[in-house]
Amino acid sequence: RASAFPPQKPRSELVRTSLRLLTSSAYRLQSECRKALPVEPCPGTDIQLVTQQVIQCAYDIAKAAKQLVTITTKENNN
């Protein structure tokens, strides 16, 4: 979660963009997982579509995390 980061505003626009992607993807992932495992099954749920959305969210989270690692590693080496 973005709240795990210090409250200071990130200096880099790339960091802010990566954090936004990470946060929005995490919320989307949570929402899609709820669709996949509803308390009461919804007859109109397309489980293949939900599964594809979960995979896409997980990919976006990994991508944002990689961007943050790359950016912070470069900043720390400068």
Side-chain angles (χ1 to χ4, degrees):
R1 290 174 23 165
S3 61
F5 292 91
Q8 64 206 43
K9 187 174 182 179
R11 293 173 284 176
S12 165
E13 181 59 33
L14 287 172
V15 171
R16 287 192 293 272
T17 300
S18 296
L19 285 173
R20 280 192 296 271
L21 176 61
L22 189 61
T23 303
S24 65
S25 297
Y27 283 117
R28 279 183 45 228
L29 179 61
Q30 184 179 37
S31 173
E32 294 298 334
C33 287
R34 281 190 182 130
K35 289 179 196 174
L37 296 172
V39 176
E40 294 182 23
C42 180
T45 301
D46 181 350
I47 197 67
Q48 277 191 314
L49 178 61
V50 172
T51 301
Q52 289 172 351
Q53 293 299 324
V54 167
I55 291 168
Q56 183 62 50
C57 292
Y59 172 82
D60 290 342
I61 290 169
K63 179 179 172 184
K66 181 180 178 189
Q67 288 172 348
L68 287 171
V69 168
T70 301
I71 292 164
T72 54
T73 301
K74 286 180 182 176
E75 287 179 355
N76 289 337
N77 288 336
N78 289 337

